Amino acid sequence: MSNSDRSDSGLRDNLFASPQARIDSFVFDERVAAVFSDMISRSVPGYATIIGMIGLLAEQHAIPGSRLYDLGCSLGAATVSMGHAIGDRECQLVAVDNAKPMLDKAREQFSRHLSVSVETHCADIRKVVVCDASVVVLNFTLQFLPVEERLPLLRNICRGMYKDGVLILSEKIAGADAGEDRLLVELHHAFKRANGYSDLEVSQKRAALEKVLLPETIATHKKRLYAAGFARVDLWFQCFNFVSFIARP
Ligand code: GEK
């Protein structure tokens, strides 16, 4: 491994660089955990901005005594951002992921970057009972649940939130029609190529994600959030087919 393969936050992602005879569905295993920071920042336009703004929103909404959830935390970037933003407010950070290799690395990040304690759970977010929450983050996680399981999860979240709380829901989306979808996908692929991914890497990763990442339109997300009990839903971020909503109970 050369030095250029390693940065402070992990290894460079070249998981899909060589031709694969069979493309298996994408899984969050040790190999992904080792390159995840590089992978997500070169693949999701605006990722660093969203992480920063999650801190800003936590700063505005974290109520002392409440709980701040990061559901599907991966390596814990959103938790760390919230932890820095809330200062010495007595809130409980809760980080959940069902992939042990990801959560193990998140725990390392928390001990390295945060002075407050984080409650971590290696668990399915569908099994977590959300309670006393002022901030809930679903940063590119809902998209991995079967479509019919999304509403019950959002209902559980809404029920467990303070009236003044916020849910931050970030998702990869489908375009409103075939033409918009084509445009957004093309722009996203151009973004990935500009970040050093080859055409082969882009197409093999796309094939690996196809069955596990199920994008929906902005309209579908908004409708479901209202059906889950949220009183107000606003889109605050969009770059190509990556968006983030703020939903308030
Ligand atoms: C970030 N939020 O860096 N239960 C728990 N965890 C799950 C489940 C589930 N049912 N399904 C998927 N995950 C992060 C990025 S990545 C997004 C989130 C991406 C977890 C999965 O193990 C992975 O760590 C994460 O959700 C999705 O702000 O890779 O596109």
Side-chain angles (χ1 to χ4, degrees):
M1 184 196 313
S2 72
N3 276 347
S4 63
D5 287 333
R6 183 179 277 287
S7 73
D8 196 30
S9 48
L11 301 174
R12 187 166 171 88
D13 168 28
N14 56 15
L15 295 182
F16 293 94
S18 36
Q20 296 176 12
R22 200 192 64 190
I23 312 272
D24 294 321
S25 285
F26 191 83
V27 281
F28 292 94
D29 57 13
E30 280 81 5
R31 293 169 68 231
V32 169
V35 301
F36 186 76
S37 294
D38 180 69
M39 173 187 280
I40 198 153
S41 48
R42 287 200 290 137
S43 304
V44 175
Y47 176 72
T49 300
I50 294 171
I51 292 295
M53 295 311 121
I54 287 172
L56 189 93
L57 285 160
E59 206 271 327
Q60 291 179 336
H61 293 276
I63 300 163
S66 70
R67 293 162 72 79
L68 279 56
Y69 288 84
D70 183 2
L71 301 176
C73 64
S74 294
L75 308 196
T79 304
V80 170
S81 181
M82 291 195 286
H84 287 156
I86 60 174
D88 55 9
R89 256 175 275 175
E90 296 220 342
C91 298
Q92 181 61 58
L93 294 165
V94 185
V96 182
D97 205 288
N98 64 354
K100 188 171 179 302
M102 304 294 278
L103 196 64
D104 285 346
K105 285 211 170 285
R107 289 182 177 124
E108 284 170 23
Q109 295 296 316
F110 300 152
S111 51
R112 194 171 306 153
H113 297 292
L114 290 176
S115 51
V116 293
S117 79
V118 180
E119 194 180 302
T120 58
H121 300 277
C122 190
D124 194 306
I125 55 173
R126 289 165 287 188
K127 301 269 158 64
V128 172
V129 178
V130 172
C131 61
D132 299 328
S134 57
V135 182
V136 179
V137 173
L138 276 171
N139 203 33
F140 302 110
T141 308
L142 189 72
Q143 60 195 21
F144 290 105
L145 293 192
V147 167
E148 67 280 7
E149 301 190 19
R150 297 178 184 185
L151 180 59
L153 172 72
L154 293 172
R155 277 205 182 111
N156 165 37
I157 291 172
C158 190
R159 265 198 301 267
M161 286 179 68
Y162 285 0
K163 206 82 211 110
D164 295 332
V166 281
L167 164 68
I168 302 151
L169 170 67
S170 311
E171 286 278 294
K172 183 176 187 182
I173 53 145
D177 57 39
E180 188 191 41
D181 199 61
R182 208 173 313 115
L183 171 72
L184 299 180
V185 169
E186 274 167 15
L187 286 167
H188 177 226
H189 289 175
F191 169 86
K192 290 189 73 166
R193 285 194 296 272
N195 280 335
Y197 284 114
S198 67
D199 287 337
L200 180 69
E201 285 176 295
V202 171
S203 73
Q204 293 194 139
K205 173 85 179 283
R206 186 179 195 193
L209 280 174
E210 212 144 61
K211 290 197 184 71
V212 289
L213 194 168
L214 308 168
E216 297 175 290
T217 63
I218 288 175
T220 301
H221 280 294
K222 283 194 165 174
K223 197 168 157 213
R224 184 190 295 117
L225 285 161
Y226 286 121
F230 289 94
R232 175 142 202 128
V233 180
D234 294 293
L235 186 78
W236 69 272
F237 175 90
Q238 176 163 14
C239 184
F240 311 144
N241 41 355
F242 292 81
V243 305
S244 190
F245 303 92
I246 293 174
R248 297 160 205 273

